[in-house]
Structure formats: C-alpha cells, structure tokens
Amino acid sequence: EHLVRRADASYPLDGNLPSTATPQERLWTFIHNFVRRALDPAEVGNLHCILMAERFAPTGLLDDLLARWFASNRSQLLPILQELLGSGASERDVAWTEMCTVGQMIGLHEAGDAGPRHLFGIDESDTRQLTDHIYNFSMGGIDAIRGRLNKIPELSRTEK
C-alpha cells in the first residue's frame, strides 16, 4: 500500500490540473505521469516487481488493494476518453480505447533484456518524447473512432 500511495503522490495521473483543463490536456497528463511511473524504477520500481510477482504467483493478499487502485486509475481515464470520443461512443468503444491507450504503456515497466526499455533504448530522458508519441498515436485512434461514430470518412482507410 505504501508504494501505491507513493506512486500516486509522486506521479498523480490527473496531474492536479485545474477543472478548466481540456480533455486533450488531461489525456496528455495522464499518459505523461503513467510513463513517468514506468520509467522511474528508483521511486516506484519495486511496485512493478510486486505486481508482477502477484500476477504470476497470486497470493490473493493484494486483490482488494489492486482492485481499488486500478478502479481509481480507470475512473480518471474513462471520463477523458468518453469526452474525446463524444456522446455517440458506447461503453465498449470507451473501454477498448482505454485498452489501446494503456496497452502502449504497460510494457514499459519491464526492465529486463527482453523488455521494451532495453529493446528500444528507452530511459527517463525519453519521457516527454515518448509521452508525445503515445498521445499522438492515441489521439489518431480516438479521431478515427469518433469519425466512424459520426459517419465521417476515415482518411487512413483505402479500398483494396
């Protein structure tokens, strides 16, 4: 529980932005602080080790804590995605957009020789560039989904 509180305090996913922040600013901040958590092994690295140990050899001791923490994280991201996707988005549209957005960042925690940090030479100095890349990639997907929902032709698809 100490490491969860430390991660939240050091890298709050909402960035303590004012209520007037745009959904784009809120999404960028969420991604930025998620990436910062993943690339800062000194601050919260042990949390990832504990999470992976629990994932592959479950004890059940952390189930309630992790369920609350993940629900809290999701409660910050889902409204942002809903707003960006628009009122025509279904729960499934929002959930799959969440899966794709977060999926780009989950593997960053893996620090071993086979992990993306080693494979792509990513470290803390890449935080801002990586955040921008994940944000832009996510917004491209969000724009495409919103366009599909609003029947706007997608430029990225061509007939074959």
Side-chain angles (χ1 to χ4, degrees), residues 132-143:
D132 287 342
H133 182 84
I134 294 169
Y135 170 80
N136 289 326
F137 198 87
S138 297
M139 285 303 298
I142 289 167
D143 288 344

Side-chain angles (χ1 to χ4, degrees), residues 11-12 17 23 31 33 35 47 51 62 66-67 73-74 81-82 87 95 105 110 120 128-129 133 135-137 158:
Y11 306 113
L17 291 176
I31 292 168
N33 283 330
V35 169
L47 176 58
L51 293 175
L62 300 178
L66 294 178
N73 292 346
R74 293 186 77 214
L81 297 176
Q82 179 68 63
S87 60
M105 300 177 283
E110 298 173 19
F120 301 111
R128 185 165 189 98
Q129 280 185 292
H133 182 84
Y135 170 80
N136 289 326
F137 198 87
T158 57

Side-chain angles (χ1 to χ4, degrees), residues 4 47 50-51 54 62-72:
V4 167
L47 176 58
I50 292 168
L51 293 175
E54 189 64 22
L62 300 178
D63 289 353
D64 289 341
L65 170 67
L66 294 178
R68 285 192 316 272
W69 192 47
F70 293 148
S72 172

Side-chain angles (χ1 to χ4, degrees), residues 1-12 37 40-47 69:
E1 192 165 345
H2 168 73
L3 290 174
V4 167
R5 282 196 310 269
R6 194 156 133 188
D8 287 341
S10 298
Y11 306 113
R37 285 179 181 184
D40 184 0
E43 187 65 29
V44 293
N46 289 332
L47 176 58
W69 192 47

